[in-house]
Amino acid sequence: MKECKEVATPTATNCLMGVDEVGQQVDSTKYRGLIDSLLYLTASRLHIQFSVCLCAMFQSNPNESHFKVAKRILKYLKGTTNVGFWYPSASNIILSGFSDSNYARCKLDRKSTNGRCHLLGSCLISWNSKKQACVAFSIAGAGYILFGHACAQII
């Protein structure tokens, strides 16, 4: 992986992992070791937590497609070794928030995944990405659930 090509995101936007994936089985010990190392790394690199937890769901029976997604996280980490947060001193302290959700993205339980971030001026102060606790029956429903969570975080 030292000579691998870097990628811009830890998970591809078209990545739909499921238990019914076709492909060759991989060594589960090797896969678990990789996932354990990535889980340890999430303590300092919180932005990979969603992708790592997505891969961790398939530790009992991994196959090539799951291993490929886990290796993509390593490719992302290789390209972000110098990335960090910078909080400049400025007089612009406007609180703003952004949120987005995808409707029924998870193939296993059809729940939506949502994400949000909050900025104070140009500084990131809070972010979150998780699967919704309930199933939304429409795109608007998924958005309303996310909006409620985002407003609660700001308050």
Side-chain angles (χ1 to χ4, degrees):
M1 296 301 296
K2 288 182 181 180
E3 303 299 324
C4 68
K5 183 179 176 183
E6 301 167 0
V7 294
T9 58
T11 307
T13 56
N14 60 354
C15 177
L16 296 172
M17 293 176 64
V19 289
D20 59 345
E21 298 285 333
V22 294
Q24 294 281 54
Q25 296 291 333
V26 297
D27 181 19
S28 61
T29 305
K30 186 176 180 180
Y31 184 78
R32 284 187 198 122
L34 174 59
I35 298 302
D36 287 345
S37 298
L38 290 171
L39 282 170
Y40 178 76
L41 192 58
T42 59
S44 61
R45 307 287 299 267
L46 295 173
H47 56 286
I48 65 168
Q49 188 167 14
F50 178 79
S51 301
V52 173
C53 289
L54 182 66
C55 291
M57 292 185 343
F58 304 101
Q59 290 188 66
S60 62
N61 194 19
N63 62 27
E64 288 177 341
S65 61
H66 301 130
F67 198 67
K68 184 178 176 183
V69 172
K71 287 198 303 187
R72 182 184 172 96
I73 298 170
L74 294 175
K75 292 177 183 180
Y76 169 75
L77 290 171
K78 183 177 185 268
T80 59
T81 55
N82 60 349
V83 173
F85 293 110
W86 180 56
Y87 295 102
S89 60
S91 60
N92 182 10
I93 54 170
I94 297 171
L95 181 64
S96 58
F98 300 94
S99 62
D100 191 19
S101 67
N102 59 9
Y103 174 63
R105 179 69 184 250
C106 182
K107 287 175 28 177
L108 300 175
D109 57 10
R110 305 307 295 167
K111 290 183 180 177
S112 302
T113 303
N114 60 35
R116 60 185 179 268
C117 68
H118 299 96
L119 303 156
L120 189 60
S122 62
C123 302
L124 179 68
I125 58 171
S126 170
W127 74 91
N128 184 309
S129 175
K130 65 182 252 179
K131 192 185 303 185
Q132 291 181 350
C134 56
V135 177
F137 292 110
S138 67
I139 296 171
Y144 286 134
I145 293 169
L146 174 61
F147 184 70
H149 289 295
C151 288
Q153 180 69 35
I154 288 175
I155 291 171

